[in-house]
Amino acid sequence: MWVADMDFQTAPEIQEAIRERAAHGVFGYSIVPEEWYQAYMGWWEHRHGFSMEKEWLVFCTRVVPAISSMVRKLTTPGENVLVQTPVYNIFFNSIVNNGRNIMESPLRYDENAYQMDFEDLERKLSNPQTTLMILCNPHNPVGRIWNRD
Ligand SMILES: Cc1ncc(COP(=O)(O)O)c(C=O)c1O
């Protein structure tokens, strides 16, 4: 259930950008261009009214390596990282492979939808050894988009 592949075509603009990049022909290590910062900051500003400083951004090639880096940066070995299960299985690797413990807060299946168990969440997050929570939104695999509440 956790495979989150697209079942629709990628936007033509993205296909074209990939073709253009492939035509360049050099695929070695590269620098992060200024346009990357501007595109990223612009998207957040435009979509969510959230402005960020360029210095806050660190380029990362994918989501999972970014999660692993955050686990290492924000916690110390032996601490607990909370995930709401069932959840994308690779989150477990990012936690366990870095010597941290998984703290599960299982989602509840109520009224035909998965719900957060806030009592369980509060209890587990109040454990001083639980120093990070990975919130999956949209949630894979349960398909929920968590609302602000
Ligand atoms: C919740 C979630 N995070 C991360 C990934 C993988 O991201 P990446 O390939 O960028 O590491 C997936 C892929 O299915 C996913 O479902």
Side-chain angles (χ1 to χ4, degrees), residues 2 4 62-65 88 91 136 140:
W2 53 266
R62 288 173 54 184
V63 171
V64 170
Y88 181 49
F91 287 3
C136 191
N140 178 5

Side-chain angles (χ1 to χ4, degrees), residues 77-88:
E79 290 181 346
N80 305 326
V81 179
L82 187 140
V83 285
Q84 294 172 299
T85 50
V87 75
Y88 181 49

Side-chain angles (χ1 to χ4, degrees), residues 7-147:
D7 54 6
F8 50 86
Q9 280 194 319
T10 299
E13 293 83 356
I14 296 172
Q15 294 184 40
E16 185 48 37
I18 291 171
R19 268 194 293 272
E20 230 176 74
R21 182 62 186 85
H24 186 276
V26 177
F27 306 118
Y29 294 113
S30 188
I31 56 161
V32 180
E34 180 60 27
E35 290 85 351
W36 178 79
Y37 292 94
Q38 296 311 324
Y40 199 82
M41 291 158 66
W43 190 89
W44 277 94
E45 180 77 59
H46 179 71
R47 288 287 181 99
H48 298 290
F50 180 64
S51 51
M52 55 178 83
E53 307 288 327
K54 187 178 162 185
E55 294 68 38
W56 298 351
L57 297 175
V58 178
F59 181 81
C60 194
T61 47
R62 288 173 54 184
V63 171
V64 170
I67 290 175
S68 297
S69 296
M70 286 188 285
V71 166
R72 283 193 296 275
K73 189 75 184 167
L74 300 173
T75 66
T76 55
E79 290 181 346
N80 305 326
V81 179
L82 187 140
V83 285
Q84 294 172 299
T85 50
V87 75
Y88 181 49
N89 59 343
I90 307 301
F91 287 3
F92 287 73
N93 301 4
S94 295
I95 299 166
V96 171
N97 293 350
N98 286 306
R100 278 66 169 172
N101 308 317
I102 292 158
M103 176 66 84
E104 290 189 44
S105 179
L107 296 169
R108 283 198 336 242
Y109 193 68
D110 278 347
E111 297 165 20
N112 291 329
Y114 281 92
Q115 320 276 351
M116 291 190 190
D117 183 341
F118 285 105
E119 275 176 25
D120 182 76
L121 195 56
E122 185 168 4
R123 196 164 41 79
K124 288 173 179 165
L125 289 178
S126 66
N127 177 341
Q129 282 300 105
T130 307
T131 51
L132 182 67
M133 169 181 170
I134 302 175
L135 177 75
C136 191
N137 190 28
H139 191 99
N140 178 5
V142 311
R144 283 278 320 249
I145 296 173
W146 303 116
N147 61 32

